[in-house]
Amino acid sequence: MHPFTRISFQYSISGIFLLVLLLLVSCGSTPTVEEEPVVDTTVATPLFVPEIQEQGFFAFSDKSIMQDMELGSPASIRRAAAKIRNPSTQSEKIILAVASSLMSIVWPSEQNGISIPTDIEANAYTGAIDSAKMGIYDVNTGNTDFFTMVLPSLVLLTSSSSQTDYYNQSQAALSAALELKPDSVLVQYLLGTLYQRMGDLNSSRRMYEQAAELAEECLEVNYAFANVLYLQGNYEKAQDIASEMLSIFPGNLKLLKLLSQVAIKRGNYALAESYINQVLQQEPENSQFLLLRVEVLMDQGNYVKAVSLLDIYARVDKVSKDYLLLRSRIQNEWNKNPVAAAATVEQALELYPNDSAVILAAANLATVTGNTVRGKTAGELADEILQREPNNQEAIFIRAKDALAHKDWNKAYTNVSQLMKNDNVSLAQKILYIQACLGVNRVGEAQDAVKQLYLEQPNSDDVKELYIRVQAAAGNQGEVRSLIASLLPSASSQLKSFLYYQRSLLTTNDTDKLADLRQSLTANPRNTDALFELYRYYFDRKDYRKAQYYLKQVVALNTNDQEILRLNTELEALLK
């Protein structure tokens, strides 16, 4: 069609001339015109030129509305909503409904104040929100724009962590949305939540950290960031962030609980009690914090008071998950009754079969006692969690410990090496890594790691002991003798027992060897290394009765060590 066909003509000389021109063109004839005709604009109707608009459903003239909505922080959502004062179109009403829902679901600590308009037509956006509220990931949005990609993942905040079938779809959609809006606090927060659910704490921390930089005073973002730091063992930074947020949100229970747990991990029990008491002052019947107080008392070694408080709690609730896990700990650590402890954990597993905390508690108990729980080893229980959370750091750590306990050195080394790739590696993980290195005969690797650890933790008895073991494995007997001599005068009973045992290995004089081993047992009668060395000493000299005396003590302390049980059976056969 000719570009002038939309012009309305009036009966004027200019109009008649143009009409003739158009007729000639439409008939295929080309008039011979020396110059372009001049249109008299004073009498012709002007051209209709429609305004170019953005593509997509939410095409507001004020582009900052969608920019703020996609940023998705509490402040930016409020800014966007404030710019739509009298919603008249469906797109305005729907975006206000989305804004209100985001405030109530994602940022519940913030004042909402955004009313959801009435008479909203059926649409993909509010449909996805309604599905999320029912615990369903909406797969029918089409993923055509930012919010159709993002809104189905609100289910991460409305459903339990046991539902995992939508994780891959959610990750793909949120990642695509982040490409569209790399600085979206909303998407970063949701991805952080998803990665944490999947057990990928490193990726989760990175997302939360980016979101926290953009929303410095947002409680949900900063709490999530501090919490994942806590889970990774970065207690100092977790405490700094949570303390700062507590100054903005005084008395917040989530922050007080987190700070209590951080203080417990850092060994600051007085500070932990202070936070716990703040909660109990506000809510005297808060059973969660009553149980947390029991945990603090147990960590302080005050089992008598802990048992008393736990008995008081039991009058109200004997099937609480936290109650059962603490009861199991008391039975194992205080009553020295691993059978009863296992029975209590098994009860928790029956009541909460898919709860990661319960399964991890069972796995930890199996690691400590060497027994099975519900017929499963610590490694098998850890594998249950890793099947659905492949990057769960605690489960990987338990599997590595279990492999080490069973002298499966290669498996232990493989698993603990995976943990060493994290940004924040705990002391226990570093120690296990060095032990695994010795197990697979990577002595040089163990030396490098233990030297660094000794610089970081020069006052830790466990690190001192490990340092000496590594130097002994490397054949540095002179350094080992020197260290033992310097540490013995001020050593604790536990460390002293190890030092005497280690010194007994360096001498060929029987009198000195026996003297050191006996001093080792005087300092710690339960030192299985010293007991086993005495068994070997007497066995080599065919004094089987004395050998059996010491080996039976080792068996009593290691009831599930198959190698020790085999040696005991062979010794009994010799004695018969």
Side-chain angles (χ1 to χ4, degrees):
M1 182 178 290
H2 194 279
F4 288 136
T5 53
R6 294 199 59 164
I7 298 175
S8 298
F9 298 105
Q10 296 183 11
Y11 293 101
S12 65
I13 296 172
S14 299
I16 294 169
F17 178 83
L18 287 173
L19 180 59
V20 172
L21 178 62
L22 287 172
L23 289 171
L24 288 171
V25 170
S26 62
C27 294
S29 303
T30 304
T32 304
V33 181
E34 296 290 335
E35 296 179 1
E36 266 189 46
V38 178
V39 179
D40 184 356
T41 56
T42 61
V43 292
T45 303
L47 289 169
F48 171 76
V49 183
E51 182 182 356
I52 298 173
Q53 298 186 1
E54 286 183 22
Q55 296 298 313
F57 181 76
F58 299 113
F60 302 116
S61 57
D62 185 349
K63 296 182 181 180
S64 67
I65 292 175
M66 289 310 295
Q67 289 171 353
D68 280 337
M69 284 297 299
E70 290 174 357
L71 179 61
S73 69
S76 70
I77 292 173
R78 281 195 291 265
R79 280 198 308 269
K83 294 169 187 173
I84 306 175
R85 296 182 181 178
N86 298 305
S88 56
T89 66
Q90 280 297 309
S91 59
E92 288 175 337
K93 293 176 181 180
I94 291 170
I95 204 63
L96 282 178
V98 170
S100 181
S101 297
L102 289 178
M103 292 299 290
S104 60
I105 295 173
V106 186
W107 316 123
S109 69
E110 300 281 339
Q111 187 174 356
N112 189 339
I114 304 172
S115 299
I116 297 179
T118 56
D119 68 324
I120 296 178
E121 297 174 0
N123 62 88
Y125 307 98
T126 57
I129 293 169
D130 291 339
S131 294
K133 288 177 180 177
M134 293 187 289
I136 300 168
Y137 183 91
D138 192 342
V139 296
N140 299 312
T141 62
N143 287 347
T144 55
D145 60 16
F146 180 85
F147 278 115
T148 52
M149 293 176 187
V150 172
L151 293 175
S153 291
L154 294 181
V155 73
L156 289 163
L157 307 176
T158 60
S159 68
S160 66
S161 58
S162 60
Q163 187 181 351
T164 63
D165 56 339
Y166 63 88
Y167 282 1
N168 290 337
Q169 290 170 291
S170 177
Q171 183 180 356
L174 289 174
S175 298
L178 195 63
E179 286 187 19
L180 291 176
K181 186 74 173 176
D183 61 345
S184 174
V185 173
L186 172 63
V187 177
Q188 290 163 352
Y189 178 64
L190 289 173
L191 265 174
T193 304
L194 175 62
Y195 286 134
Q196 186 173 343
R197 289 270 196 96
M198 296 170 75
D200 186 353
L201 295 185
N202 283 335
S203 297
S204 176
R205 189 202 71 247
R206 282 194 293 272
M207 288 293 105
Y208 287 146
E209 187 171 15
Q210 290 174 32
E213 288 174 358
L214 295 166
E216 295 179 354
E217 294 190 357
C218 177
L219 173 61
E220 284 78 14
V221 165
N222 283 278
Y223 169 79
F225 182 28
N227 185 55
V228 83
L229 288 169
Y230 163 76
L231 294 174
Q232 288 191 307
N234 192 342
Y235 304 127
E236 184 177 356
K237 190 170 182 180
Q239 182 172 326
D240 289 343
I241 294 169
S243 297
E244 185 178 349
M245 293 309 297
L246 191 65
S247 68
I248 301 172
F249 299 91
N252 182 271
L253 295 180
K254 288 174 69 176
L255 291 170
L256 287 169
K257 181 179 180 182
L258 178 59
L259 285 165
S260 301
Q261 293 169 326
V262 170
I264 291 168
K265 290 293 186 182
R266 300 190 77 184
N268 193 337
Y269 300 113
L271 183 60
E273 279 204 272
S274 170
Y275 288 127
I276 292 168
N277 287 335
Q278 287 183 59
V279 177
L280 294 176
Q281 284 170 7
Q282 296 177 54
E283 300 180 359
E285 302 302 320
N286 189 315
S287 58
Q288 184 181 34
F289 279 85
L290 178 63
L291 292 177
L292 194 59
R293 179 162 168 72
V294 172
E295 186 178 349
V296 170
L297 291 168
M298 289 171 64
D299 289 335
Q300 289 176 300
N302 191 346
Y303 288 99
V304 175
K305 194 169 183 179
V307 169
S308 176
L309 280 175
L310 203 58
D311 288 343
I312 292 171
Y313 180 87
R315 296 172 190 169
V316 180
D317 184 3
K318 286 187 176 181
V319 294
S320 156
K321 176 184 73 176
D322 294 329
Y323 166 79
L324 291 170
L325 297 185
L326 287 171
R327 177 64 72 189
S328 174
R329 270 191 64 189
I330 283 178
Q331 289 168 329
N332 185 56
E333 296 171 15
W334 176 243
N335 299 330
K336 305 299 180 186
N337 190 342
V339 176
T344 302
V345 166
E346 286 172 356
Q347 182 185 355
L349 283 170
E350 274 186 39
L351 293 170
Y352 311 97
N354 297 313
D355 191 285
S356 294
V358 174
I359 298 171
L360 285 171
N364 269 316
L365 179 65
T367 302
V368 172
T369 62
N371 297 322
T372 59
V373 176
R374 233 182 183 181
K376 293 183 178 180
T377 65
E380 289 169 340
L381 288 164
D383 286 340
E384 275 190 34
I385 294 174
L386 291 169
Q387 283 175 3
R388 62 173 186 259
E389 300 175 31
N391 296 306
N392 187 299
Q393 304 300 288
E394 190 173 352
I396 294 171
F397 182 52
I398 290 172
R399 188 163 64 179
K401 284 197 295 184
D402 184 62
L404 198 73
H406 289 89
K407 298 181 175 61
D408 189 344
W409 309 116
N410 287 321
K411 185 176 181 179
Y413 177 79
T414 299
N415 280 278
V416 77
S417 294
Q418 185 177 342
L419 297 175
M420 298 301 290
K421 297 173 184 176
N422 295 332
D423 294 338
N424 296 291
V425 184
S426 69
L427 174 60
Q429 290 170 346
K430 290 176 181 177
I431 288 173
L432 186 65
Y433 168 68
I434 295 166
Q435 291 171 332
C437 284
L438 291 178
V440 294
N441 201 31
R442 292 174 176 262
V443 178
E445 195 173 330
Q447 277 187 296
D448 292 339
V450 82
K451 284 177 182 176
Q452 180 61 36
L453 186 57
Y454 199 26
L455 290 172
E456 295 170 2
Q457 303 278 348
N459 299 318
S460 167
D461 283 355
D462 289 336
V463 174
K464 291 173 186 174
E465 179 179 326
L466 188 60
Y467 186 85
I468 290 173
R469 286 187 187 275
V470 172
Q471 297 311 319
N476 300 329
Q477 292 192 6
E479 185 175 358
V480 172
R481 289 180 188 276
S482 176
L483 274 169
I484 291 172
S486 65
L487 293 173
L488 261 175
S490 59
S492 63
S493 296
Q494 197 81 8
L495 181 59
K496 190 173 289 186
S497 177
F498 166 76
L499 294 173
Y500 279 124
Y501 158 73
Q502 195 65 43
R503 195 170 72 176
S504 76
L505 303 179
L506 299 176
T507 182
T508 55
N509 183 291
D510 284 359
T511 303
D512 292 341
K513 184 180 189 70
L514 288 173
D516 280 339
L517 289 172
R518 285 167 183 154
Q519 285 192 80
S520 174
L521 291 175
T522 300
N524 176 20
R526 297 169 66 86
N527 186 329
T528 54
D529 286 334
L531 289 167
F532 189 75
E533 191 63 23
L534 281 165
Y535 149 76
R536 288 178 55 188
Y537 175 85
Y538 286 111
F539 185 89
D540 290 344
R541 286 154 184 77
K542 296 184 171 50
D543 190 341
Y544 299 134
R545 286 292 174 193
K546 283 187 178 178
Q548 186 187 46
Y549 171 77
Y550 290 108
L551 187 59
K552 279 189 175 296
Q553 293 182 65
V554 178
V555 170
L557 295 168
N558 296 275
T559 55
N560 293 292
D561 190 317
Q562 297 303 312
E563 179 62 15
I564 297 297
L565 293 173
R566 183 186 66 79
L567 293 173
N568 187 56
T569 301
E570 290 178 357
L571 184 55
E572 286 179 346
L574 282 173
L575 286 167
K576 288 178 182 178

